[in-house]
Amino acid sequence: MEKIDWANLTFGYMRTDYNVRCYYRDGKWGALELHSEENINIHMAATCLHYGQEAFEGLKAFRGKDGRVRVFRPEANAERLQNTCEGILMAQFPTDMFCEAVKMVIKANERFIPPYGSGASLYLRPLLIGTGPQVGVRPATEYLFVIFVSPVGPYFKGGFSTNKYAVVRDFDRAAPLGTGRFKVGGNYASSLRANKWAHDQGYACEFYLDAKEKKYIDECGAANFFGIKDNTYITPLSTSILPSITNMSLMQLAEDMGMKVERRHVPVEELSTFEEAGACGTAAVISPIAQIDDLDENKSYVISKDGKPGEVCLKLYNKLRGIQNGEEPDTHGWIMFVD
């Protein structure tokens, strides 16, 4: 293998040695299988291709300060995948098998785990798709679970630095009682045009309001939003928002630091009152927000006056990354070791 420049990795796909697969047939899951090929052979009438029976997850493995390999909260990813499967009527993949598959794929691709201190990590992409053929609109009877991995660098080129967002009103990310709370590919397909529009305007990402009234904050592109003010961590509560494992973790860490935590409807006008704000998710952990422009209303919400990340965002980011890298104690049992 060519020598990898760990410090300059992008957040993209790199071919690795193996992936792990498991098939659901005759009403049960089979054994985990290790595969070296990248392609999947599926029926042209598979429900994932026609009716959107597709779910995915994202999590990371880290080489710690002590040399041990850590995975951050895989059980939570397994539970969220099961919730998605319940929502779109797919066979649920058991938590114990999920964690076993995570360990298997990491061990098989150990040479691709970035070294401690490089700023990079091993990204894991679990995927579950309906493979059974159907012409009528109904669930498949066969499914495929896959996990592949890729070493990745920071999601945003600047790493932990502030970004600017643009409110979009001509696009809806997800309906209030639709699939927004599930991690399905259709949610991301529907965001592509809005994301391109934001990039074309010179912004890092689009900023969504609720689809029903366009009054409340929904999500920052594909990430959850949080705001900081008066020693309080505030994040939107909505039936259309994906329950971010990173956001749940940050809420707990905020409480650990003596902050109050509020999950509630957040009016867009409240942006003017936040001392700090950020987008959060597995890929970036925290992307601090400098400014959000509402072009339709001719308003700019400047959150970072000096364009730098705020003190609370930095503290939360360092704490979470410290746990992932083995630099901080894991008091909540979030880490799964791969030895």
Side-chain angles (χ1 to χ4, degrees):
M1 152 175 121
E2 292 183 13
K3 188 175 180 180
I4 298 175
D5 185 1
W6 301 111
N8 291 301
L9 281 175
T10 61
F11 193 89
Y13 175 75
M14 176 187 294
R15 178 169 185 164
T16 51
D17 293 332
Y18 297 101
N19 57 82
V20 171
R21 305 182 186 188
C22 188
Y23 292 89
Y24 181 90
R25 296 178 177 128
D26 301 320
K28 62 182 183 298
W29 289 102
L32 297 177
E33 305 172 5
L34 204 59
H35 289 256
S36 59
E37 68 272 17
E38 296 176 286
N39 297 325
I40 297 172
N41 185 18
I42 60 173
H43 198 285
M44 62 183 176
T47 60
C48 66
L49 300 177
H50 298 264
Y51 305 124
Q53 276 201 300
E54 179 272 346
F56 70 98
E57 281 294 325
L59 63 162
K60 288 179 177 180
F62 307 86
R63 178 81 67 183
K65 187 176 182 180
D66 55 4
R68 299 183 73 185
V69 177
R70 291 165 168 79
V71 185
F72 188 69
R73 305 193 72 173
E75 296 89 353
N77 286 97
E79 291 169 8
R80 188 169 65 179
L81 180 62
Q82 291 157 10
N83 185 52
T84 296
C85 289
E86 183 180 10
I88 59 173
L89 297 183
M90 296 202 297
Q92 295 184 30
F93 198 69
T95 300
D96 58 344
M97 289 186 70
F98 184 95
C99 291
E100 185 183 349
V102 165
K103 289 182 177 180
M104 182 184 290
V105 77
I106 291 172
K107 288 179 179 178
N109 294 286
E110 188 170 0
R111 69 194 184 104
F112 291 97
I113 303 173
Y116 170 75
S118 64
S121 57
L122 186 70
Y123 184 78
L124 284 73
R125 171 55 59 85
L127 174 70
L128 202 158
I129 58 174
T131 54
Q134 293 285 4
V135 175
V137 183
R138 61 180 67 93
T141 56
E142 296 184 357
Y143 297 89
L144 169 62
F145 174 81
V146 181
I147 299 186
F148 65 85
V149 303
S150 179
V152 297
Y155 189 74
F156 290 107
K157 291 180 181 179
F160 188 72
S161 58
T162 58
N163 288 289
K164 292 184 179 181
Y165 290 74
V167 172
V168 290
R169 295 175 181 274
D170 296 333
F171 302 94
D172 291 329
R173 191 191 67 82
L177 297 177
T179 60
R181 63 192 186 279
F182 307 130
K183 200 166 177 65
V184 296
N187 294 342
Y188 298 82
S190 66
S191 73
L192 292 175
R193 284 183 63 200
N195 184 258
K196 182 181 183 303
W197 172 84
H199 286 169
D200 289 347
Q201 304 302 312
Y203 294 94
C205 212
E206 73 277 23
F207 192 86
Y208 292 102
L209 303 181
D210 73 288
K212 187 176 182 180
E213 299 181 87
K214 298 292 185 184
K215 291 181 179 179
Y216 303 101
I217 296 170
D218 198 69
E219 286 201 327
C220 311
N224 277 194
F225 170 86
F226 70 88
I228 305 291
K229 68 176 181 179
D230 302 327
N231 197 41
T232 305
Y233 182 106
I234 301 166
T235 193
L237 178 65
S238 167
T239 55
S240 66
I241 293 175
L242 181 73
S244 163
I245 295 165
T246 302
N247 198 7
M248 289 190 293
S249 305
L250 292 173
M251 282 188 267
Q252 181 61 63
L253 293 179
E255 286 187 349
D256 294 348
M257 294 174 184
M259 299 178 66
K260 291 184 288 186
V261 172
E262 295 181 2
R263 294 188 70 193
R264 58 173 171 79
H265 289 309
V266 183
V268 64
E269 294 83 6
E270 193 171 348
L271 286 171
S272 63
T273 68
F274 287 123
E275 300 156 13
E276 300 179 37
C280 60
T282 298
V285 182
I286 293 176
S287 174
I289 296 173
Q291 181 174 321
I292 300 171
D293 292 339
D294 190 341
L295 302 180
D296 290 335
E297 298 294 317
N298 197 29
K299 289 183 181 178
S300 286
Y301 300 97
V302 179
I303 296 168
S304 174
K305 303 296 189 295
D306 60 3
K308 297 178 181 178
E311 183 180 337
V312 176
C313 282
L314 182 60
K315 194 174 180 181
L316 288 168
Y317 176 83
N318 286 339
K319 186 69 174 180
L320 186 57
R321 293 287 287 118
I323 294 170
Q324 293 173 335
N325 287 315
E327 301 160 344
E328 295 276 353
D330 175 27
T331 58
H332 298 287
W334 288 340
I335 296 298
M336 181 181 78
F337 289 98
V338 181
D339 294 321

